[in-house]
Amino acid sequence: MKMKLGIIGYGGMGFWHGENAPRAGVEVVAAYDVDPKRLEMAKEEGLTAYNHLEEFFKHEGMNFVLIATPNDVHKELTISALHAGMHVMVEKPATMSVSDWDEMVAESEKTGKILTVHQNRRWDRDYKVMRKVVEEGNVGKVLSIESRVFGTGGAFFGWRSFPEYGGGMILDWGVHLFDQLLDMYPDTKVKSVYAKLMTVLDQKVDDYFKVTLTLENGPLLHVEVGTFAFYKLPRWYVIGNGGTLQIDDFDCKTGGYTKPRYTDTPVAEVVVMTPAGPTRMMAPRPPETKEDFELPEVETDWTELYANLVKVMEGEEELLIKPYQVRRVLEIIEAVFQSAKEDRSIEVSI
Ligand code: NAD
């Protein structure tokens, strides 16, 4: 079955889907937007452009809708699209509350139409490399995973700087980074959430956050995003009882993992003079007592996400991005906002 895709919200991300979905064999046919300038652009790209939602839904043969508007209208547009008989993929964050999401899922169940979310960062190379190293046991039992994204832009543009439209970094990058980690630990409950949301520059929404998730019998997960940080910390940093992993950036060009090598050479038996002063614990390790490894290669192709949706339409596969996973991320986000507001750790079982 061919996917004939219509795009609601032909802004930055809507345009991106229009350009990239065809790589997965999808035919992009139409766009709806409230901004006439964006509709002109859609026409230039060969799409039929609509400024009326009901007309858009009647586009001949269209069977799937991608929603890429500001976050505050995801829910109402999703429900309208499902009601009009469309399958729907909505951009992240799916919406701004768990109860909104439950309403969206209820409509999808009522209409029998697909509802999923564009959690494309499950296909990011850095994430896949981190998972491969960890899941192959290369750093032993994992005690801590740190996931960070830092930029220097500072200011937000347009709707992203207003809370009422769903602005701020938790709902922008946080949702991706939580989704990645929760996907890695599908059967391990998060038992507490502690969050600090900050505004480094004078803004109405969070432009810097630190979130700690504690898992039941699992590692501590630390997620941090900054928009005004001039020195970067690694994209991933993992501590295990069998080694350490560092991935510096999205491209995975630098980083690696290191494991101890057990030799007859004593490690830090005597006090050593270091720039930090006399120490045994923090003394440099003799090179022959450790082994450094390059980051592994991984195959990753984001078009799998659209290919999966076509198979789901044909009844041949299950959704890769499942509604209950989306709900779990939204539950975490609600606990994050509660923790930040009440300045305390929130006990959960998510
Ligand atoms: P944008 O401001 O560039 O585009 C939003 C578009 O929606 C604009 O063209 C605007 O005119 C239109 N719009 C606003 N209200 C509308 C309405 N009620 N009906 C129809 N159209 C409407 O924003 P963006 O950066 O493209 O972000 C859009 C969505 O995509 C957000 O949910 C964002 O979180 C998500 N996004 C996802 C990724 C990703 O990697 N998955 C990346 C960027 C953005």
Side-chain angles (χ1 to χ4, degrees):
M1 189 185 296
K2 184 95 182 161
M3 184 193 292
K4 293 198 173 202
L5 186 71
I7 298 175
I8 299 186
Y10 197 70
M13 205 54 194
F15 181 84
W16 188 90
H17 280 273
E19 293 283 284
N20 287 286
R23 291 203 280 125
V26 170
E27 189 183 345
V28 185
V29 293
Y32 162 73
D33 203 295
V34 290
D35 180 349
K37 288 201 286 296
R38 301 306 299 186
L39 291 178
E40 274 314 306
M41 193 178 278
K43 278 189 213 157
E44 283 164 25
E45 294 298 315
L47 309 186
T48 309
Y50 293 89
N51 60 6
H52 193 284
L53 191 58
E54 294 310 318
E55 295 296 313
F56 165 79
F57 286 139
K58 287 185 202 143
H59 185 92
E60 182 66 33
M62 187 169 84
N63 51 14
F64 219 109
V65 162
L66 180 276
I67 299 175
T69 60
N71 304 332
D72 61 313
V73 286
H74 284 181
K75 175 183 134 183
E76 66 184 62
L77 289 166
T78 297
I79 289 178
S80 301
L82 290 166
H83 189 71
M86 299 291 140
H87 299 296
V88 175
M89 176 154 70
V90 60
E91 262 303 344
K92 47 54 57 175
T95 182
M96 284 150 61
S97 72
V98 174
S99 64
D100 273 6
W101 179 245
D102 289 345
E103 282 182 53
M104 293 155 78
V105 172
E107 187 66 21
S108 129
E109 285 169 356
K110 197 166 99 191
T111 56
K113 298 293 166 189
I114 297 167
L115 173 59
T116 191
V117 177
H118 187 234
Q119 291 296 353
N120 50 315
R121 291 197 177 277
R122 287 194 200 173
W123 281 265
D124 280 8
R125 179 168 303 282
D126 58 283
Y127 168 63
K128 291 218 167 190
V129 170
M130 182 276 296
R131 271 189 81 157
K132 184 172 165 66
V133 173
V134 165
E135 288 175 354
E136 286 178 356
N138 288 306
V139 293
K141 180 178 178 222
V142 179
L143 299 158
S144 158
I145 302 182
E146 298 178 18
S147 169
R148 286 192 178 80
V149 175
F150 282 165
T152 56
F156 289 156
F157 302 96
W159 60 269
R160 277 186 173 75
S161 45
F162 296 96
E164 56 272 33
Y165 295 110
M169 275 296 127
I170 286 287
L171 292 172
D172 199 61
W173 274 91
V175 59
H176 280 303
L177 306 183
F178 300 140
D179 177 71
Q180 289 180 332
L181 289 167
L182 294 180
D183 188 43
M184 194 167 164
Y185 292 97
D187 303 318
T188 309
K189 292 269 188 214
V190 177
K191 63 176 186 181
S192 74
V193 177
Y194 181 68
K196 279 279 182 197
L197 308 190
M198 293 166 261
T199 51
V200 178
L201 302 181
D202 185 21
Q203 294 175 338
K204 294 185 214 53
V205 292
D206 57 295
D207 62 6
Y208 180 37
F209 73 74
K210 289 175 186 251
V211 172
T212 302
L213 308 180
T214 313
L215 299 183
E216 262 173 31
N217 303 317
L220 196 71
L221 306 177
H222 173 86
V223 181
E224 185 173 346
V225 172
T227 56
F228 193 65
F230 289 89
Y231 295 97
K232 275 188 179 179
L233 291 171
R235 170 74 188 87
W236 294 99
Y237 190 80
V238 180
I239 295 255
N241 66 1
T244 308
L245 163 74
Q246 174 164 321
I247 301 176
D248 291 328
D249 218 330
F250 291 97
D251 59 12
C252 299
K253 288 208 172 114
T254 55
Y257 60 97
T258 296
K259 300 199 234 186
R261 188 191 272 144
Y262 294 100
T263 65
D264 293 337
T265 313
V267 178
E269 263 192 5
V270 290
V271 173
V272 179
M273 257 330 272
T274 73
T279 175
R280 282 186 291 193
M281 238 68 78
M282 301 304 163
R285 210 179 160 100
E288 62 277 18
T289 69
K290 66 183 178 75
E291 201 171 356
D292 300 323
F293 296 85
E294 288 186 0
L295 295 172
E297 292 294 325
V298 296
E299 288 298 318
T300 184
D301 183 357
W302 156 90
T303 61
E304 269 177 21
L305 195 166
Y306 270 105
N308 168 248
L309 295 180
V310 172
K311 292 277 184 204
V312 179
M313 281 166 77
E314 289 164 348
E316 286 178 13
E317 280 183 15
E318 278 187 18
L319 275 176
L320 288 176
I321 316 283
K322 299 178 191 359
Y324 72 81
Q325 299 172 327
V326 174
R327 190 176 199 281
R328 194 173 176 219
V329 171
L330 290 171
E331 283 182 273
I332 293 290
I333 288 178
E334 286 193 352
V336 161
F337 284 125
Q338 187 189 350
S339 168
K341 193 168 160 213
E342 298 176 8
D343 193 18
R344 66 182 180 93
S345 177
I346 307 296
E347 303 305 308
V348 295
S349 178
I350 298 174

